Coordinates of all heavy atoms in Angstrom, one line a residue:
N87 N 95.4 106.1 87.2 CA 96.1 106.1 85.9 C 95.1 106.0 84.8 O 94.1 105.4 84.9 CB 96.6 104.5 85.8 CG 97.9 104.4 86.9 OD1 98.9 105.0 86.7 ND2 97.6 103.5 87.9
I88 N 95.2 106.9 83.9 CA 94.5 107.0 82.7 C 94.9 105.8 81.9 O 96.0 105.7 81.4 CB 94.4 108.2 82.0 CG1 94.0 109.3 82.9 CG2 93.6 108.2 80.7 CD1 92.7 109.3 83.5
S89 N 94.1 104.7 81.7 CA 94.5 103.5 81.1 C 93.4 102.9 80.2 O 92.1 103.3 80.3 CB 95.0 102.6 82.1 OG 93.8 102.2 83.0
S90 N 93.7 101.8 79.6 CA 92.7 101.0 79.0 C 91.8 100.4 80.0 O 92.3 100.2 81.2 CB 93.3 100.0 78.0 OG 93.9 99.0 78.7
P91 N 90.7 99.9 79.7 CA 89.9 98.9 80.7 C 90.8 97.7 80.8 O 91.6 97.3 79.9 CB 88.6 98.6 79.9 CG 88.4 99.8 79.1 CD 89.8 100.2 78.6
F92 N 90.5 97.0 82.0 CA 91.4 95.8 82.3 C 91.0 94.6 81.5 O 89.8 94.5 81.1 CB 91.4 95.6 83.7 CG 90.1 94.8 84.2 CD1 90.1 93.4 84.2 CD2 89.1 95.5 84.8 CE1 89.0 92.8 84.7 CE2 88.0 94.9 85.2 CZ 87.9 93.5 85.2
V93 N 91.8 93.6 81.3 CA 91.5 92.2 80.9 C 92.2 91.4 82.0 O 93.1 91.8 82.6 CB 91.9 91.9 79.4 CG1 91.3 92.7 78.5 CG2 93.4 92.1 79.4
F94 N 91.6 90.2 82.0 CA 92.2 89.3 83.1 C 92.5 88.1 82.3 O 91.7 87.4 81.6 CB 91.2 88.9 84.2 CG 91.9 88.0 85.2 CD1 92.8 88.6 86.1 CD2 91.7 86.7 85.3 CE1 93.4 87.9 87.0 CE2 92.3 85.8 86.3 CZ 93.2 86.5 87.1
D95 N 93.8 87.7 82.2 CA 94.3 86.6 81.4 C 95.4 85.9 82.1 O 96.5 86.5 82.6 CB 94.8 87.2 80.0 CG 95.4 86.3 79.1 OD1 94.8 85.2 78.9 OD2 96.6 86.6 78.7
N96 N 95.4 84.6 82.2 CA 96.6 83.8 82.8 C 97.0 84.3 84.1 O 98.1 84.6 84.5 CB 97.8 84.0 81.8 CG 98.4 82.7 81.4 OD1 97.9 81.7 81.8 ND2 99.5 82.7 80.7
N97 N 96.1 84.4 85.0 CA 96.2 84.9 86.4 C 96.8 86.3 86.5 O 97.5 86.6 87.6 CB 97.0 83.9 87.2 CG 96.6 83.9 88.7 OD1 95.5 84.0 89.0 ND2 97.7 83.8 89.4
C98 N 96.7 87.0 85.6 CA 97.3 88.5 85.5 C 96.1 89.4 85.1 O 95.4 89.2 84.0 CB 98.4 88.6 84.6 SG 99.8 87.6 84.9
L99 N 95.9 90.5 85.8 CA 95.2 91.7 85.4 C 96.1 92.5 84.5 O 97.2 92.8 84.8 CB 94.8 92.4 86.6 CG 93.8 93.6 86.3 CD1 92.7 93.7 87.5 CD2 94.5 94.9 86.1
K100 N 95.5 92.9 83.4 CA 96.5 93.6 82.3 C 95.7 94.8 81.8 O 94.5 94.8 81.7 CB 96.7 92.6 81.1 CG 97.5 91.4 81.5 CD 97.8 90.5 80.4 CE 98.5 89.2 80.8 NZ 98.7 88.4 79.6
Y101 N 96.5 95.9 81.7 CA 95.9 97.1 81.1 C 97.1 97.9 80.3 O 98.3 97.6 80.6 CB 95.3 98.0 82.2 CG 96.2 98.5 83.1 CD1 96.8 99.7 83.0 CD2 96.5 97.9 84.4 CE1 97.7 100.4 84.0 CE2 97.4 98.4 85.3 CZ 97.9 99.6 85.1 OH 98.8 100.1 86.0
I102 N 96.6 98.8 79.5 CA 97.6 99.7 78.9 C 97.6 101.0 79.6 O 96.4 101.7 79.8 CB 97.3 99.9 77.4 CG1 97.2 98.5 76.6 CG2 98.1 101.0 76.6 CD1 96.7 98.7 75.1
D103 N 98.8 101.4 80.0 CA 98.9 102.7 80.7 C 99.1 103.9 79.7 O 100.0 103.7 78.8 CB 100.2 102.7 81.7 CG 100.4 104.0 82.4 OD1 100.8 105.0 81.7 OD2 100.4 103.9 83.5
Y104 N 98.3 104.9 79.7 CA 98.3 105.9 78.6 C 98.9 107.3 79.3 O 98.4 108.3 79.0 CB 97.0 106.2 78.1 CG 96.7 105.1 77.0 CD1 95.9 104.1 77.1 CD2 97.3 105.4 75.7 CE1 95.6 103.2 76.2 CE2 97.1 104.4 74.8 CZ 96.2 103.3 74.9 OH 96.0 102.4 74.0
D105 N 99.9 107.1 80.2 CA 100.7 108.3 80.7 C 100.0 109.1 81.6 O 100.6 109.6 82.7 CB 101.3 109.0 79.4 CG 101.9 108.1 78.5 OD1 102.7 107.2 78.8 OD2 101.5 108.2 77.3
L106 N 98.8 109.7 81.3 CA 98.1 110.7 82.1 C 97.8 110.1 83.4 O 97.3 109.0 83.5 CB 96.9 111.3 81.4 CG 97.1 112.1 80.1 CD1 95.8 112.3 79.4 CD2 97.9 113.4 80.4
D107 N 98.0 111.0 84.5 CA 97.6 110.5 85.8 C 96.9 111.6 86.6 O 97.1 112.8 86.3 CB 98.9 110.0 86.7 CG 99.8 108.9 86.0 OD1 99.2 107.8 85.8 OD2 100.8 109.2 85.6
V108 N 96.0 111.2 87.5 CA 95.5 112.2 88.3 C 95.8 111.8 89.9 O 95.6 110.7 90.2 CB 93.9 112.2 88.2 CG1 93.3 113.2 89.2 CG2 93.6 112.6 86.7
K109 N 96.5 112.7 90.6 CA 96.8 112.5 91.9 C 95.8 113.1 92.7 O 95.4 114.4 92.5 CB 98.2 112.9 92.3 CG 98.5 112.6 93.7 CD 100.1 112.9 94.0 CE 100.4 112.5 95.3 NZ 101.8 112.7 95.7
V110 N 95.2 112.5 93.7 CA 94.1 113.0 94.7 C 94.7 113.0 96.0 O 95.2 111.9 96.5 CB 92.8 112.3 94.5 CG1 91.8 112.9 95.4 CG2 92.3 112.0 93.1
F111 N 94.5 114.1 96.7 CA 95.0 114.1 98.0 C 93.9 113.9 99.1 O 92.8 113.9 98.7 CB 95.7 115.6 98.2 CG 96.8 115.9 97.3 CD1 96.5 116.4 96.0 CD2 98.0 115.5 97.6 CE1 97.5 116.6 95.1 CE2 99.0 115.9 96.7 CZ 98.8 116.4 95.4
P112 N 94.4 113.8 100.4 CA 93.3 113.5 101.4 C 92.1 114.5 101.5 O 90.9 114.0 101.9 CB 94.1 113.4 102.7 CG 95.3 113.0 102.3 CD 95.6 113.7 101.0
D113 N 92.3 115.7 101.1 CA 91.3 116.7 101.2 C 90.5 116.7 99.9 O 89.6 117.5 99.7 CB 91.8 118.0 101.4 CG 92.7 118.6 100.2 OD1 93.0 117.9 99.3 OD2 93.2 119.7 100.4
M114 N 90.7 115.7 98.9 CA 90.0 115.5 97.7 C 90.5 116.6 96.8 O 89.9 116.7 95.5 CB 88.6 115.4 97.8 CG 88.1 114.1 98.5 SD 88.5 112.7 97.4 CE 88.6 111.5 98.6
S115 N 91.5 117.4 96.9 CA 92.0 118.3 95.8 C 92.7 117.4 94.9 O 93.2 116.2 95.3 CB 92.9 119.3 96.5 OG 94.1 118.8 97.1
H116 N 92.8 117.7 93.6 CA 93.4 116.9 92.7 C 94.3 117.6 91.6 O 94.2 118.7 91.4 CB 92.4 115.9 92.0 CG 91.3 116.8 91.5 ND1 91.3 117.4 90.2 CD2 90.1 116.9 92.1 CE1 90.1 117.9 90.1 NE2 89.4 117.8 91.1
A117 N 95.3 116.9 91.1 CA 96.1 117.4 90.0 C 96.4 116.5 88.8 O 96.6 115.3 89.1 CB 97.5 117.9 90.5
L118 N 96.2 117.0 87.6 CA 96.5 116.2 86.4 C 98.1 116.2 86.2 O 98.6 117.3 86.2 CB 95.9 116.8 85.2 CG 96.0 116.0 83.8 CD1 95.4 114.6 84.0 CD2 95.3 116.8 82.7
L119 N 98.6 115.0 86.2 CA 100.1 114.8 85.9 C 100.5 114.3 84.6 O 99.6 113.6 84.0 CB 100.6 114.0 87.1 CG 100.1 114.2 88.6 CD1 100.7 113.1 89.4 CD2 100.7 115.6 89.0
D120 N 101.8 114.5 84.2 CA 102.3 113.9 83.1 C 101.8 114.1 81.7 O 101.8 113.4 80.8 CB 102.4 112.3 83.4 CG 103.2 111.9 84.6 OD1 104.1 112.7 84.9 OD2 102.7 110.9 85.2
E121 N 101.3 115.5 81.6 CA 100.7 115.8 80.3 C 101.8 115.8 79.3 O 101.6 115.5 78.1 CB 100.1 117.2 80.4 CG 98.8 117.0 81.2 CD 98.2 118.4 81.4 OE1 98.5 119.1 82.4 OE2 97.2 118.7 80.7
D122 N 103.0 116.3 79.6 CA 104.2 116.3 78.6 C 104.6 114.9 78.2 O 104.7 114.6 77.0 CB 105.4 117.0 79.3 CG 105.2 118.4 79.5 OD1 104.3 119.0 78.9 OD2 106.0 118.9 80.3
E123 N 104.6 114.0 79.1 CA 104.9 112.6 78.7 C 103.8 112.0 77.8 O 104.0 111.3 76.8 CB 104.9 111.7 80.1 CG 105.2 110.2 79.8 CD 105.2 109.5 81.0 OE1 105.1 109.9 82.2 OE2 105.4 108.1 80.9
Y124 N 102.5 112.3 78.0 CA 101.5 111.8 77.2 C 101.6 112.4 75.8 O 101.5 111.7 74.8 CB 100.1 112.2 77.8 CG 98.9 112.0 76.9 CD1 98.4 110.7 76.7 CD2 98.2 112.9 76.1 CE1 97.4 110.4 75.8 CE2 97.3 112.8 75.2 CZ 96.7 111.4 75.1 OH 95.9 111.2 74.3
E125 N 101.9 113.7 75.7 CA 102.1 114.2 74.4 C 103.1 113.7 73.6 O 103.1 113.4 72.4 CB 102.2 115.8 74.4 CG 100.9 116.4 74.8 CD 99.7 116.2 74.0 OE1 99.9 116.1 72.7 OE2 98.6 116.3 74.5
Q126 N 104.3 113.4 74.3 CA 105.5 112.8 73.6 C 105.1 111.4 73.2 O 105.4 111.0 72.0 CB 106.6 112.7 74.7 CG 107.8 112.0 74.2 CD 109.0 111.9 75.2 OE1 108.9 112.5 76.3 NE2 109.9 111.0 74.9
H127 N 104.5 110.5 74.2 CA 104.2 109.2 73.7 C 103.0 109.1 72.7 O 103.1 108.2 71.8 CB 103.8 108.3 74.9 CG 104.9 108.0 75.7 ND1 104.8 107.5 77.1 CD2 106.3 108.0 75.5 CE1 106.0 107.3 77.6 NE2 106.9 107.6 76.6
K128 N 102.2 110.1 72.8 CA 101.1 110.2 71.6 C 101.7 110.1 70.3 O 101.3 109.6 69.4 CB 100.2 111.4 72.0 CG 99.1 111.5 70.9 CD 98.3 112.8 71.5 CE 97.5 113.3 70.3 NZ 96.8 114.5 70.7
L129 N 102.8 111.0 70.2 CA 103.5 111.1 68.8 C 104.4 109.9 68.6 O 104.3 109.4 67.5 CB 104.3 112.4 68.8 CG 103.7 113.8 68.8 CD1 104.6 114.9 69.1 CD2 102.8 114.0 67.7
E130 N 105.3 109.4 69.6 CA 106.0 108.4 69.4 C 105.4 107.0 69.1 O 105.8 106.3 68.3 CB 106.9 108.2 70.6 CG 108.0 109.2 70.8 CD 108.8 109.1 72.2 OE1 108.6 108.1 72.8 OE2 109.7 109.9 72.5
M131 N 104.2 106.8 69.7 CA 103.5 105.4 69.6 C 102.3 105.7 68.8 O 101.5 104.7 68.5 CB 103.1 104.9 70.9 CG 104.4 104.6 71.8 SD 103.9 103.9 73.3 CE 105.0 104.6 74.4
N132 N 102.1 106.9 68.2 CA 101.0 107.1 67.2 C 99.6 106.6 67.7 O 98.8 105.9 67.1 CB 101.3 106.2 65.9 CG 102.4 106.7 65.1 OD1 102.7 107.9 65.0 ND2 103.2 105.8 64.7
Y133 N 99.2 107.2 68.9 CA 98.0 107.0 69.5 C 97.0 107.5 68.4 O 96.9 108.6 68.1 CB 97.8 107.8 70.7 CG 98.6 107.6 72.0 CD1 98.5 108.3 73.0 CD2 99.5 106.3 72.0 CE1 99.3 108.0 74.2 CE2 100.3 106.1 73.0 CZ 100.3 106.9 74.2 OH 101.0 106.6 75.2
P134 N 95.9 106.6 68.2 CA 94.9 107.1 67.2 C 94.1 108.2 67.9 O 93.9 108.4 69.1 CB 94.1 105.9 67.0 CG 94.9 104.8 67.5 CD 95.8 105.3 68.5
E135 N 93.5 109.1 66.9 CA 92.7 110.2 67.4 C 91.5 109.7 68.2 O 91.2 110.3 69.3 CB 92.1 111.0 66.1 CG 91.4 112.2 66.6 CD 92.3 113.3 67.3 OE1 93.4 113.3 67.0 OE2 91.7 114.1 68.1

Side-chain angles (χ1 to χ4, degrees):
N87 297 292
I88 302 302
S89 66
S90 69
F92 80 87
V93 295
F94 188 75
D95 177 52
N96 229 7
N97 207 43
C98 298
L99 183 147
K100 300 176 180 180
Y101 67 91
I102 298 169
D103 181 295
Y104 279 104
D105 315 307
L106 292 171
D107 302 301
V108 176
K109 186 171 185 178
V110 184
F111 301 90
D113 67 357
M114 289 294 155
S115 62
H116 51 84
L118 182 63
L119 308 175
D120 301 328
E121 292 176 272
D122 291 345
E123 180 183 355
Y124 174 76
E125 290 300 327
Q126 178 186 345
H127 286 162
K128 179 180 162 185
L129 293 173
E130 290 176 1
M131 296 184 216
N132 298 312
Y133 297 174
E135 187 64 30

